[in-house]
Amino acid sequence: EIAVLFKQELQNEEAKEGKQVKLTCELSKPDTPVKWMKGDAVLYASEKYEFKQRGTVAELIIRDVKSIDS
């Protein structure tokens, strides 16, 4: 099986505290399961984090951004 690669890696994004930010990456294979992490901690869908995936594009939306989210 062919390895899944990043066609477009995550880019740094800036957001004002209290707003939301969207992080996007693109994979080489559509509908590949994506695990979002901050350091060693796995992120789970919640009021804070929303995950979207369409084809090869995966998005993480972080709501109510705080400095600890950097």
Side-chain angles (χ1 to χ4, degrees):
E1 188 170 317
I2 298 172
V4 177
L5 305 172
F6 286 106
K7 287 176 70 177
Q8 176 192 330
E9 301 231 359
L10 287 175
Q11 302 296 310
N12 288 331
E13 297 288 341
E14 288 189 20
K16 293 192 177 190
E17 203 162 307
K19 300 294 184 183
Q20 75 175 29
V21 66
K22 179 169 61 174
L23 302 175
T24 304
C25 65
E26 187 174 358
L27 307 165
S28 61
K29 183 178 175 186
D31 303 315
T32 301
V34 172
K35 183 188 318 182
W36 290 94
M37 301 180 72
K38 181 177 189 278
D40 293 333
V42 176
L43 303 179
Y44 295 97
S46 63
E47 287 184 17
K48 176 95 174 159
Y49 304 113
E50 180 182 351
F51 310 113
K52 294 183 178 181
Q53 193 164 356
R54 288 180 301 280
T56 59
V57 177
E59 296 176 341
L60 164 62
I61 298 166
I62 305 172
R63 294 187 185 87
D64 191 21
V65 173
K66 306 283 187 216
S67 59
I68 194 167
D69 295 316
S70 63

